[in-house]
Amino acid sequence: DAKTTQPNSMESNEEEPVHLPCNHSTISGTDYIHWYRQLPSQGPEYVIHGLTSNVNNRMASLAIAEDRKSSTLILHRATLRDAAVYYCILRDVGYGGSQGNLIFGKGTKLSVKP
Amino acid sequence: DTEVTQTPKHLVMGMTNKKSLKCEQHMGHRAMYWYKQKAKKPPELMFVYSYEKLSINESVPSRFSPECPNSSLLNLHLHALQPEDSALYLCASSREAPGQGGGYGYTFGSGTRLTVV
């Protein structure tokens, strides 16, 4: 599975935007970029995913670089409930084979200050 | 129903006990997964079931035995565990199996916190 690199931790102020970076220089053409977050004492939660174009949903936005070697998860207004570990994961969804499992890296621990 | 339900939420067992963890989803997802998560570490993939068949066993010791009785249920049978097996065990499901395309997200349960004494 391709690897991602994320900062170990980031801090944000409440009600301000947060930009969480992820580098994935060895991304392949069939890798989707997935983001999950894990709040304390809970299972991971799907946030967003994309392939080439920027994506928006009710939780966040995903900005993907033109060469796809990096991406940024954007939380538009951080709240205290957004404090979590955020995982950027490449998932190969090519047909056939046994690839495509969701393999977690270390993630970024986001702290939100009131 | 858009949830993955895991029971029990907490489990304490002795090293000679036999216990089972249960996982259930009613979203019609075709793949189900077991992950293990130690404190302050990311989840690690243990098993993958695709269309009710075991497709991946990530070199997990035989004291962990998965079972998929039907498309909605996934069990993890535990026997002769060691204290180092204490962890959060997470179940997840996805609409399509790995290698089937699609790029859909996984849905995770809230986990079973297992303590082996």
Side-chain angles (χ1 to χ4, degrees):
Chain A
D1 296 283
K3 300 261 187 235
T4 62
T5 304
Q6 300 178 252
N8 289 333
S9 62
M10 290 184 64
E11 270 193 356
S12 168
N13 294 317
E14 196 176 12
E15 297 190 6
E16 290 185 357
V18 182
H19 291 235
L20 295 161
C22 181
N23 287 319
H24 28 79
S25 59
T26 59
I27 192 169
S28 74
T30 52
D31 282 328
Y32 272 78
I33 302 160
H34 280 241
W35 283 84
Y36 288 75
R37 71 179 186 181
Q38 188 171 21
L39 281 64
S41 302
Q42 294 190 25
E45 175 187 25
Y46 166 81
V47 177
I48 200 166
H49 77 279
L51 185 61
T52 56
S53 304
N54 295 344
V55 184
N56 300 299
N57 66 21
R58 64 173 180 82
M59 290 182 69
S61 295
L62 176 60
I64 301 172
E66 202 168 324
D67 63 4
R68 300 211 322 128
K69 293 186 177 183
S70 66
S71 61
T72 303
L73 179 70
I74 302 165
L75 307 179
H76 296 285
R77 284 182 75 223
T79 69
L80 297 178
R81 289 175 296 175
D82 291 323
V85 178
Y86 286 78
Y87 297 101
C88 170
I89 303 169
L90 298 185
R91 185 177 179 218
D92 184 346
V93 291
Y95 284 88
S98 61
Q99 297 186 59
N101 294 302
L102 207 65
I103 305 299
F104 288 79
K106 295 180 181 177
T108 296
K109 184 175 182 179
L110 175 67
S111 302
V112 181
K113 296 185 290 184
Chain B
D1 187 353
T2 58
E3 290 187 345
V4 171
T5 303
Q6 289 188 245
T7 55
K9 293 199 181 307
H10 299 273
L11 179 62
V12 179
M13 62 184 290
M15 289 189 284
T16 58
N17 291 159
K18 284 185 182 180
K19 296 286 185 183
S20 296
L21 309 184
K22 296 186 185 302
C23 174
E24 193 168 357
Q25 59 89 12
H26 296 286
M27 295 175 281
H29 286 180
R30 301 183 179 96
M32 297 184 76
Y33 312 84
W34 281 114
Y35 284 80
K36 173 182 177 179
Q37 186 173 26
K38 302 282 279 184
K40 300 190 185 305
K41 298 289 186 184
E44 296 177 10
L45 183 63
M46 299 176 73
F47 300 106
V48 178
Y49 271 84
S50 174
Y51 294 92
E52 301 168 46
K53 287 186 169 39
L54 181 64
S55 64
I56 292 180
N57 172 345
E58 293 283 2
S59 303
V60 179
S62 60
R63 56 186 184 268
F64 295 91
S65 175
E67 178 197 19
C68 190
N70 60 55
S71 60
S72 300
L73 294 174
L74 187 64
N75 298 321
L76 186 62
H77 303 297
L78 314 172
H79 173 55
L81 294 194
Q82 304 296 310
E84 58 264 29
D85 296 321
S86 298
L88 180 68
Y89 288 85
L90 294 159
C91 175
S93 69
S94 66
R95 179 172 168 168
E96 83 293 319
Q100 298 290 313
Y104 294 97
Y106 284 30
T107 303
F108 283 82
S110 55
T112 294
R113 177 79 57 192
L114 175 68
T115 303
V116 181
V117 297

